[in-house]
Amino acid sequence: MRTPLIAGNWKMNNTEVEALSLVRKLIQGIKSLTTVEVLICPPFTSLSQLSKLLVSSPIQLGAQNISDHDAGAYTGEISPRMAAEFCSYVILGHSERRAYYGESDALINRKTKVAQRADLTPILCVGEQLDERERGQAAVVITRQLQGALQGVKLSDPSGLVIAYEPVWAIGSGLSASAGETADFIGGVIRPVVSGLWGQEISQKIRVLYGGSVSPENAGGFFTHDEIDGALVGGASLSADSFLGIIEKAS
Ligand code: 13P
């Protein structure tokens, strides 16, 4: 019912030359994509060249961040419209932006709204810290993040937003969450919050990804669960072989 999405978040990696080389390998490896949607989110500096390389490829481009303003005197920022020249998606609320750049739920809420205005589909990241999980607070934290980021956001089409559940302790640690627990959490916590915001039908149709140390070895375990609609992949998206391996598991 929901088309799986495999998204690669390159983070602050790859110069333009390196990006072109990696994407050439991905294009060669992906013959035809019918059952899975594939997205890569490189740094802004490579978007223009990559968009030319990908012109007849099914691989889509996404941004890793945008400004919370539409345009104007905001030195160093990239506007939603600038990103939308090349991208169909934008990652918002990633835990690294929350932790290192102080992004609050209120700021992520503003970015979600400006992204929608520019026709960028937000991939909203939520995730609990290890101590929050150990104190049994994961559901409370994720509910607060979702409600904060999505307050006043209108959604009539479930394809207009993607949620990525990325437990912070699983990111870059090699310790992925258990696939079964993740599926239960998505079905038991995340979809009910979405249902409270926009109703049951949207909550069943919206895509919810898992992120955190996804590899070709463990990806298959996640994708056997109906609740998990794909993955947001960090480290393993920097190697063509491992990213292609994950895509293969999803298809
Ligand atoms: P890793 O796959 O490297 O754990 O990163 C996950 C992530 O943060 C994707 O946004």
Side-chain angles (χ1 to χ4, degrees):
M1 176 174 104
R2 301 180 294 255
T3 305
L5 172 64
I6 304 299
N9 175 9
W10 289 8
K11 309 190 180 183
M12 197 175 70
N13 292 292
N14 289 330
T15 62
E16 188 178 82
V17 170
E18 290 160 351
L20 289 166
S21 156
L22 172 53
V23 170
R24 282 195 192 98
K25 290 183 201 153
L26 293 177
I27 292 171
Q28 271 173 4
I30 291 179
K31 304 286 177 293
S32 64
L33 282 176
T34 46
T35 53
V36 185
E37 206 182 321
V38 174
L39 172 73
I40 52 172
C41 303
F44 290 118
T45 48
S46 299
L47 286 174
S48 174
Q49 286 302 319
L50 288 181
S51 71
K52 289 175 196 150
L53 188 59
L54 289 170
V55 94
S56 53
S57 159
I59 301 173
Q60 300 178 75
L61 286 171
Q64 297 177 20
N65 183 30
I66 46 167
S67 168
D68 59 325
H69 297 279
D70 291 306
Y74 300 100
T75 301
E77 292 290 281
I78 299 286
S79 80
R81 276 184 61 230
M82 292 169 190
E85 277 192 287
F86 309 110
C87 299
S88 36
Y89 290 87
V90 58
I91 297 171
L92 295 178
H94 194 279
S95 65
E96 287 149 18
R97 296 219 54 92
R98 293 177 192 260
Y100 307 144
Y101 302 98
E103 290 205 3
S104 63
D105 290 326
L107 177 68
I108 298 160
N109 180 246
R110 293 200 298 280
K111 291 189 178 192
T112 304
K113 289 172 179 168
V114 295
Q116 284 188 322
R117 280 207 290 279
D119 279 333
L120 283 169
T121 301
I123 300 178
L124 172 63
C125 301
V126 292
E128 81 284 358
Q129 312 268 351
L130 185 58
D131 64 316
E132 292 166 334
R133 184 185 184 90
E134 285 172 350
R135 281 187 276 115
Q137 294 293 298
V140 174
V141 170
I142 302 305
T143 301
R144 189 177 63 223
Q145 290 178 348
L146 287 169
Q147 288 177 339
L150 297 172
Q151 192 181 10
V153 171
K154 295 192 177 62
L155 194 71
S156 49
D157 177 350
S159 67
L161 181 80
V162 175
I163 294 169
Y165 172 52
E166 297 203 308
V168 179
W169 49 271
I171 295 176
S173 63
L175 299 170
S176 60
S178 111
E181 275 181 42
T182 300
D184 291 346
F185 193 80
I186 292 172
V189 177
I190 295 180
R191 289 197 196 279
V193 174
V194 173
S195 176
L197 289 165
W198 302 302
Q200 175 72 7
E201 192 183 338
I202 293 219
S203 80
Q204 289 310 308
K205 289 188 175 165
I206 204 164
R207 288 183 294 184
V208 184
L209 315 181
Y210 167 75
S213 298
V214 175
S215 66
E217 290 73 36
N218 65 22
F222 288 99
F223 305 149
T224 56
H225 292 272
D226 286 346
E227 283 293 2
I228 305 174
D229 302 316
L232 183 53
V233 184
S237 71
L238 298 174
S239 135
D241 284 346
S242 19
F243 196 53
L244 289 167
I246 293 168
I247 293 165
E248 201 172 296
K249 291 280 162 58
S251 54

